Amino acid sequence: MAEQEKKFSIWDLPDVPMGQLPPHLELQRSRVFCNKDAPIHTESIQYSGAYSSIGVDNSVRLDNFCNNFRVEVIRLNEDDMEFDMIGIDAALANSFRRILVAEVPTMAIEKVLFANNTSVVQDEVLAHRLGLVPISVDPRLFDYMSENDQPNEKNTVVFKLHVKCKKGSPRITVKSDELKWLPNGSELVKESTANSDSSSKPETYTYFSCSQESVPEFVKNPIAPKYPDIILAKLGPGQEIELEAHAVKGIGKTHAKWSPVATAWYRMLPEVILLEDVEDDLAEELKSKCPVNVFDIEDIGKGKKRATVARPRTCTLCRECIRGEDWEKRVALRRVKNHFIFTIESTGALPPELLFTEAVKILEDKCERVITELS
Amino acid sequence: MEHGSFTDNSAATFSLTDEDHTLANSVRFTLNQDPRVTFCGYSIPHPSQARVNIRVQTTGDPAREVLKDACQDLMLMCRHVRSTFDKAVEDFRGSNAVKAMKIDSKDSSDSEESE
């Protein structure tokens, strides 16, 4: 404990090139410090004049953004993908995530017309279950249907379900592969009033002017539920279900059945830094502490061992490595504020890379709407 | 819908209907990056009502123009994100196809050598 305070002057610091922040401030600006009790420096410093008092311009001009922005795809399957976005801010990443969950449209069953339901599953419960079944059809080929519109081949997809369990046969399970697509529209006839002209075609609940099979995409991939083994109901002997389901286009904001992703999430890239050399016994202890094996041991000769950070990306930030005495000054856990690891799991209507592209397009449309309103 | 004073058009509040955090936070981010802006923020008066108030105060330029520029910047950023993403997906698919081809050719060459 010194009696005299050491006079510390900022002019004694080594020269930092003009236009750049001193390293400790740059660290605060670009990293979230995940301490034992709580994370600090979590807010992103967006204001362009934040560092104007020391003469540093914090604004990210468009050309800077375009030069520094990178995307790296890690995994891409039919149903899910994982990719990294580097150089973007949390506000944009969150907007993309919100749009993916709530505003990318899909087709889902909305109206169910029951002809017969003698099963133990009530009408409304069965209709609710049918609504949640994901349908593998490209929603971009359809239009929205409003209240006043007639259901026609451009805004409705019609399915039929007719299952009967015979008396004397064992119980059967109704799975989603029993839903059959009707490309010609509804087959249930509307009860017409007395003065019906005795013309050939009786009126049904939909008004298809041509069969949906004339669209080439549907000939290649006929419309069907994405997964054929979803249990819809169970029938005992003598019970029957006969219904027709109409699927329309909608967005997740109205009802979660129209959400195109099982879920979509992102996390910031974790960064694990060893502040001082961790050797021998301490290195072994550190390696065993981590549940996801972030650390590795390497030999540095003369029988001494040292711990290194091998896989920081798998770190779940469980903070086991900084639990206990003294560990906080050996290991620093941080997150990189502008590096996002996005994971998108699609339910099957559209492949995940198309879903992300659609989400970005929707954000562009929103901006355009605001611009036209302002002009 | 804009609420501001008629004499000083460098500070205004814009009330957007049918919007929520999705657009407002992104617009606020791009507004903050603009050096002409002294203050910007957004608020949602009531969560059940889909309305957002965006407040912009500038160093003299009309707030309406600054907001329009921010929205334009956001659109260009989105386009750039889209093109970068598409290229990254193509590169990934291309490199995967090359890897699969390499494995196939290695197998066939091995079997040729053994014969």
Side-chain angles (χ1 to χ4, degrees):
Chain A
M1 280 191 287
E3 295 275 74
Q4 243 180 4
E5 254 184 60
K6 220 164 58 150
K7 290 271 183 212
F8 180 71
S9 163
I10 197 160
W11 304 113
D12 290 341
L13 283 175
D15 238 356
V16 186
M18 265 312 283
Q20 269 195 16
L21 285 175
H24 63 287
L25 284 181
E26 181 64 30
L27 211 57
Q28 265 182 25
R29 188 179 74 95
S30 64
R31 303 283 192 271
V32 176
F33 287 42
C34 301
N35 292 340
K36 195 154 67 168
D37 40 4
I40 52 176
H41 304 139
T42 53
E43 70 286 343
S44 54
I45 302 185
Q46 300 164 353
Y47 180 47
S48 58
Y51 299 108
S52 51
S53 54
I54 48 177
V56 174
D57 183 14
N58 194 27
S59 66
V60 177
R61 304 290 169 75
L62 194 58
D63 39 7
N64 253 358
F65 172 79
C66 293
N67 291 339
N68 299 337
F69 179 66
R70 273 186 3 242
V71 172
E72 285 163 10
V73 180
I74 310 291
R75 191 183 69 223
L76 178 57
N77 302 327
E78 201 190 299
D79 282 335
D80 62 2
M81 78 179 296
E82 184 181 330
F83 64 97
D84 282 15
M85 282 211 286
I86 306 159
I88 201 176
D89 188 73
L92 274 179
N94 195 31
S95 295
F96 295 143
R97 184 195 62 87
R98 284 175 70 101
I99 296 181
L100 273 168
V101 170
E103 297 192 41
V104 178
T106 22
M107 305 285 292
I109 291 177
E110 166 87 346
K111 284 210 170 71
V112 180
L113 306 166
F114 281 89
N116 191 0
N117 178 16
T118 47
S119 71
V120 293
V121 180
Q122 297 92 331
D123 285 355
E124 60 270 18
V125 174
L126 186 54
H128 178 246
R129 291 176 73 84
L130 283 169
L132 295 173
V133 169
I135 305 177
S136 86
V137 55
D138 189 346
R140 298 173 293 182
L141 303 167
F142 289 89
D143 304 328
Y144 286 100
M145 184 169 91
S146 69
E147 281 298 311
N148 323 327
D149 280 344
Q150 305 271 30
N152 59 28
E153 73 274 6
K154 293 216 177 30
N155 56 31
T156 316
V157 177
V158 181
F159 292 94
K160 180 171 98 152
L161 179 69
H162 188 172
V163 191
K164 185 174 169 63
C165 184
K166 289 202 195 32
K167 264 198 183 326
S169 63
R171 289 191 282 264
I172 56 173
T173 313
V174 179
K175 297 214 169 127
S176 55
D177 55 0
E178 304 275 355
L179 273 171
K180 304 278 184 273
W181 175 41
L182 300 176
N184 291 319
S186 171
E187 285 168 3
L188 290 180
V189 177
K190 251 195 221 171
E191 289 161 6
S192 45
T193 51
N195 57 341
S196 60
D197 48 359
S198 57
S199 53
S200 43
K201 268 216 321 215
E203 206 179 85
T204 67
Y205 284 92
T206 58
Y207 302 90
F208 277 38
S209 58
C210 64
S211 166
Q212 283 176 329
E213 266 175 339
S214 53
V215 181
E217 281 91 6
F218 298 150
V219 177
K220 272 187 298 184
N221 320 320
I223 303 181
K226 168 85 180 171
Y227 302 100
D229 53 354
I230 301 177
I231 299 181
L232 293 172
K234 295 195 178 185
L235 293 178
Q239 295 176 349
E240 184 182 355
I241 297 181
E242 186 179 349
L243 57 82
E244 212 175 71
H246 297 188
V248 295
K249 187 168 164 174
I251 56 175
K253 242 194 221 176
T254 334
H255 192 285
K257 68 186 175 191
W258 277 298
S259 179
V261 288
T263 189
W265 74 92
Y266 63 82
R267 62 190 180 108
M268 290 194 266
L269 183 77
E271 202 181 40
V272 184
I273 308 279
L274 292 172
L275 297 170
E276 43 179 56
D277 275 341
V278 180
E279 303 194 333
D280 296 338
D281 290 339
L282 285 179
E284 290 288 342
E285 196 188 331
L286 184 61
K287 180 163 182 272
S288 60
K289 264 202 214 189
C290 183
V292 286
N293 289 333
V294 168
F295 300 99
D296 262 351
I297 307 276
E298 65 169 11
D299 282 320
I300 45 177
K302 292 196 255 180
K304 284 165 77 71
K305 294 182 288 199
R306 190 173 59 185
T308 54
V309 180
R311 290 161 290 272
R313 201 188 152 96
T314 54
C315 181
T316 54
L317 287 189
C318 64
R319 291 172 171 86
E320 263 304 312
C321 43
I322 51 176
R323 200 158 302 193
E325 268 192 61
D326 288 342
W327 278 105
E328 269 205 317
K329 51 180 169 58
R330 297 189 194 116
V331 184
L333 286 177
R334 300 192 202 124
R335 282 207 194 261
V336 186
K337 276 191 202 171
N338 65 353
H339 185 142
F340 291 93
I341 303 173
F342 245 96
T343 316
I344 302 180
E345 290 178 5
S346 159
T347 49
L350 286 172
E353 65 274 6
L354 266 179
L355 276 177
F356 188 74
T357 319
E358 290 294 310
V360 180
K361 270 196 220 159
I362 290 178
L363 187 58
E364 277 177 41
D365 290 341
K366 281 185 192 256
C367 292
E368 222 178 287
R369 245 200 2 222
V370 173
I371 294 179
T372 46
E373 252 191 55
L374 280 178
S375 319
Chain B
M1 217 195 306
E2 178 183 353
H3 306 286
S5 90
F6 291 113
T7 47
D8 176 18
N9 64 350
S10 72
T13 305
F14 299 91
S15 190
L16 304 173
T17 45
D18 280 339
E19 291 297 344
D20 58 359
H21 301 277
T22 308
L23 181 67
N25 203 11
S26 314
V27 168
R28 182 188 65 92
F29 167 68
T30 37
L31 270 174
N32 253 319
Q33 304 300 311
D34 196 333
R36 301 176 285 179
V37 164
T38 54
F39 175 82
C40 73
Y42 78 94
S43 76
I44 301 200
H46 194 277
S48 312
Q49 198 187 25
R51 183 176 279 272
V52 170
N53 293 341
I54 304 185
R55 173 88 185 156
V56 187
Q57 281 172 206
T58 72
T59 57
D61 285 12
R64 190 175 267 254
E65 299 301 318
V66 174
L67 184 62
K68 239 198 294 188
D69 287 345
C71 286
Q72 290 277 24
D73 277 352
L74 186 59
M75 268 179 72
L76 293 171
M77 272 200 232
C78 284
R79 288 213 186 112
H80 186 248
V81 167
R82 208 157 26 116
S83 57
T84 317
F85 178 76
D86 286 337
K87 209 160 62 80
V89 169
E90 261 182 57
D91 289 345
F92 180 77
R93 285 226 170 98
S95 75
N96 259 11
V98 165
K99 257 191 259 174
M101 271 180 1
K102 272 201 195 140
I103 295 176
D104 284 343
S105 66
K106 210 157 60 110
D107 284 343
S108 60
S109 67
D110 280 346
S111 60
E112 274 177 25
E113 278 173 21
S114 61
E115 282 173 15

